[in-house]
Amino acid sequence: MGSIRRSWNWALSRFFCLLADVHRHFGNLYGNQEEHWSAIENYGRAIALDEDYAQAYYSRGVLYWREIGNYYRAVQDLSRVLDLDSGWAEAHFNRGMAYKLRQEPQKAVADFERYLTEGREDFWLEAARRQLRELREDGVEATDRQKGS
């Protein structure tokens, strides 16, 4: 009976993740925050049924930082992805963005550097380099301002 329940939970969690993807799509298409919140709710349902479902954590984490502006929750979800799969390069990039927006530059730098060693897509590799340049420039400016005070 336990194996049937696990199989059912697995299938249902995938259904909720797909439903969340649909809500996310329409939220992005129409700029509708209610759709984004519906997506988050359905990713949460998928996770409740399969607590090791890395894709649901990843999608929800990206949605949290990019569309909702909840950087704390984004970091939580993307960290969980990396607990489940430490080689998920995109999770490092997106967590780096959330850390940057949370004003935690050292953690953001570590994640972007990790993406540069593991990432494969040229566009995102360049985006990570750009983020690192900005963070380092901001760090130099902050140090210069402190010295001038």
Side-chain angles (χ1 to χ4, degrees):
M1 190 64 150
S3 118
I4 292 172
R5 178 128 178 106
R6 274 192 305 277
S7 295
W8 174 249
N9 283 350
W10 182 91
L12 198 53
S13 72
R14 273 48 185 184
F15 167 77
F16 281 121
C17 194
L18 287 172
L19 184 59
D21 290 343
V22 169
H23 283 293
R24 181 178 179 185
H25 169 76
F26 284 110
N28 291 345
L29 185 65
Y30 298 114
N32 185 334
Q33 285 290 325
E34 288 179 35
E35 290 288 346
H36 290 139
W37 284 109
S38 293
I40 285 173
E41 182 180 324
N42 282 302
Y43 288 131
R45 287 178 177 158
I47 291 164
L49 291 163
D50 181 355
E51 65 186 28
D52 295 332
Y53 193 4
Q55 180 64 51
Y57 284 106
Y58 176 78
S59 295
R60 188 174 72 176
V62 171
L63 191 58
Y64 268 131
W65 84 258
R66 222 167 45 189
E67 309 302 337
I68 301 298
N70 188 333
Y71 313 125
Y72 178 79
R73 292 296 306 267
V75 166
Q76 283 183 316
D77 280 354
L78 294 164
S79 294
R80 179 66 176 140
V81 171
L82 293 166
D83 289 343
L84 295 168
D85 182 356
S86 63
W88 194 316
E90 294 80 10
H92 284 288
F93 180 89
N94 283 284
R95 189 175 70 174
M97 291 301 301
Y99 276 136
K100 181 181 179 189
L101 294 164
R102 276 178 53 169
Q103 308 295 316
E104 296 184 62
Q106 295 83 6
K107 292 178 180 180
V109 165
D111 272 338
F112 290 130
E113 287 177 342
R114 180 80 182 262
Y115 183 79
L116 288 176
T117 64
E118 295 180 11
R120 300 281 178 255
E121 295 186 37
D122 290 337
F123 178 85
W124 295 111
L125 288 165
E126 183 52 38
R129 287 185 199 98
R130 192 172 44 255
Q131 293 300 324
L132 282 169
R133 277 193 304 273
E134 288 177 18
L135 286 163
R136 289 179 177 138
E137 287 169 6
D138 287 347
V140 170
E141 288 176 31
T143 304
D144 289 344
R145 279 194 303 262
Q146 289 173 348
K147 287 179 185 175
S149 307

